[in-house]
Amino acid sequence: MDRQIRLPEVFEHKMQKLLGEEYELFCKSYENERVYGLRYNPLKWSEEEFLQKVPFTLQKIPWAAEGYYYDDAQRPGQHPLHEAGGYYIQEPSAMAVADILKVSPGDRVLDLCAAPGGKSTQLAGHMRGQGLLVSNEIHPARAKILSQNIERMGIRNGVVTNETPERLAAFFPEYFTHILVDAPCSGEGMFRKEEAAITEWSIENVERCAQRQRDILHQAALMLQRGGTLVYSTCTFAPEENEQSIVEFLKEHPDFYIEAIDSKPGFSQGRPEWAGEGENSVLTGTVRLWPHVTAAQGVPGEGHFVARLRREESPEDRGMSDRGGSATKSRKTSGMTGALSKGQLADWDQFAAENLKMKPQGTPCLFGSILYLIPEGMIDMKGMKVLRPGLCLGENKKGRFEPSHALALALHPEEAVLCYELSDQEAKEYLRGAAFPSPLDKGWVLMTYRGCSLGFAKSAGGMLKNHYPKGLRR
């Protein structure tokens, strides 16, 4: 069949054997153009406000509460609202995963393979700033990108770590109520989106990925509380990395079971027949997103697999009302670079009293020379590779407290004493570093655009001095 995307021949033979008569429809789906999606950020605004204020043509994505398809010609990644964290651009099928985990405010959540941050930022939106979100990435460069996205989306209760799953498990035994394992995979479901996924594909890589995924899942299991939920996902079609990985995990972890995922438009059941010998009918409770199936139902997306697993409660756990169970009773937040002096805390307190109507909640702590708010429930971080221990507040400079860009992005207009709402043209100029005449009193000013915080400026001498970070300016 003539198509623009040249698939690996071995992959074609494998998929033809697996799909049978369905294979022609699968192949034909590669002739379709890829689709694009974004999620509005509920930490910034309501869905109603989002729909009123974004200038894009949008269509709802059925499997993601905040998700919408958009026309790529509108270039939302170039709009000031993107820099304000008003939305996150993400492949539509990938949005299904975080919704399936079903987190709530107050939960303790781990995103174990989190970069670049799409699923972490989606989980954070569902948590509404309450509870603890630990987002981990093993590769340092990718962990830095993850941290930047956590900051851009205004997440207050997020910690970013750069650890192996094995080391992280040693810090967090049976700690989390919810864990997401969006595992590194062979990427077969992204062939239409990413050319590199095609050139790097091989049967040997599929096998390597499957083994690595099972190792990661084992470490995740060690960190999940009894009664907790673990969602496993990949963006590949390979049964070795999907149904077979789940079956192997359940054999090795008999205290886990599959919790069926509700059906939605575009969802297909997992394939028990691809899992090997034995009774595997429970795999129909897992979900596959196939490009040819989603397109036929008018809700297009790339390939994904999702399984939701629950760990059985022990008898002594049943009836416990505390979300965190008993795992955290003796865990304390400490282990930073040093205790705060009264002077350092007083500078922050003075800044907050003068410039904020509402002070963000959390435990102030120094990380190097920077002051952070550590989320409630975070454990001692001593010895852990941490890129972002919580919300960055700022630092003391020459006897004065200078607030961070992260704090600006986390604030709502009603939390700041001074606000300046930018016009469309002013927002573009602000992102380039421009200053503006100030109609406001002296002090730190939260610069907002269409109701979303965009950064700080300082009002003095009749001018608004731009404090948008120079490294981010356009």
Side-chain angles (χ1 to χ4, degrees), residues 285-305:
T286 64
V287 160
R288 278 181 173 270
L289 283 87
W290 295 96
H292 62 291
V293 174
T294 58
Q297 295 184 21
V299 285
E302 306 302 333
H304 249 76
F305 172 86

Side-chain angles (χ1 to χ4, degrees), residues 138-154:
I138 190 172
H139 299 289
R142 287 172 54 81
K144 185 176 180 181
I145 295 169
L146 167 64
S147 186
Q148 291 167 347
N149 280 322
I150 294 290
E151 177 176 301
R152 179 172 64 85
M153 301 299 278

Side-chain angles (χ1 to χ4, degrees), residues 206-400:
V206 169
E207 294 169 351
R208 283 193 296 269
C209 288
Q211 184 55 58
R212 180 170 52 193
Q213 290 152 4
R214 293 168 196 181
D215 293 341
I216 293 172
L217 271 173
H218 173 68
Q219 300 302 325
L222 298 175
M223 291 184 273
L224 188 68
Q225 285 185 7
R226 292 192 175 275
T229 303
L230 187 158
V231 162
Y232 172 80
S233 66
T234 73
C235 57
T236 192
F237 304 119
E240 300 94 323
E241 301 177 64
N242 296 328
E243 288 89 352
Q244 291 173 29
S245 282
I246 294 300
V247 166
E248 289 301 314
F249 175 80
L250 293 175
K251 285 179 182 177
E252 296 173 5
H253 301 83
D255 55 338
F256 282 76
Y257 60 91
I258 290 175
E259 192 172 66
I261 297 168
D262 296 337
S263 179
K264 292 189 177 182
F267 282 12
S268 301
Q269 293 180 339
R271 302 291 185 102
E273 67 273 20
W274 294 349
E277 297 180 358
E279 175 51 52
N280 298 312
S281 59
V282 292
L283 288 167
T284 57
T286 64
V287 160
R288 278 181 173 270
L289 283 87
W290 295 96
H292 62 291
V293 174
T294 58
Q297 295 184 21
V299 285
E302 306 302 333
H304 249 76
F305 172 86
V306 191
R308 186 169 61 212
L309 307 167
R310 187 173 290 277
R311 190 178 184 190
E312 293 177 348
E313 293 181 346
S314 61
E316 58 269 25
D317 289 330
R318 296 191 182 100
M320 293 186 67
S321 59
D322 176 45
R323 275 190 183 274
S326 59
T328 62
K329 297 301 183 185
S330 62
R331 310 298 284 272
K332 295 181 180 179
T333 301
S334 59
M336 305 304 289
T337 57
L340 281 166
S341 69
K342 291 183 179 179
Q344 289 166 328
L345 194 54
D347 290 340
W348 156 244
D349 287 341
Q350 182 179 351
F351 168 85
E354 293 175 352
N355 298 283
L356 303 179
K357 295 178 182 177
M358 289 177 278
K359 191 176 179 181
Q361 297 300 304
T363 303
C365 206
L366 278 179
F367 191 80
S369 63
I370 311 297
L371 184 65
Y372 285 83
L373 278 185
I374 311 303
E376 182 181 353
M378 184 56 191
I379 67 167
D380 189 326
M381 292 182 244
K382 189 175 182 180
M384 193 185 306
K385 293 180 182 177
V386 179
L387 273 70
R388 185 185 194 270
L391 174 61
C392 179
L393 298 176
E395 62 181 321
N396 295 317
K397 289 186 175 181
K398 299 179 182 178
R400 297 188 306 274

Side-chain angles (χ1 to χ4, degrees), residues 4-45:
Q4 294 179 332
I5 296 177
R6 186 72 177 175
L7 299 173
E9 187 175 342
V10 176
F11 170 78
E12 289 187 299
H13 291 320
K14 180 182 177 182
M15 295 306 297
Q16 187 169 18
K17 184 178 180 180
L18 288 171
L19 292 174
E21 295 179 357
E22 201 176 345
Y23 175 70
E24 288 302 316
L25 290 174
F26 172 77
C27 282
K28 192 170 181 60
S29 71
Y30 284 96
E31 298 176 5
N32 301 330
E33 293 293 328
R34 59 170 291 200
V35 293
Y36 300 85
L38 57 78
R39 288 180 292 99
Y40 78 87
N41 183 1
L43 300 177
K44 291 280 187 174
W45 46 13

Side-chain angles (χ1 to χ4, degrees), residues 402-403 405 430 444 455-458 465-470 473:
E402 183 162 315
H405 184 56
Y430 176 75
W444 286 94
F456 276 126
K458 196 169 186 180
K465 182 181 178 182
N466 195 318
H467 277 260
Y468 194 75
K470 292 181 179 179
R473 293 180 184 180

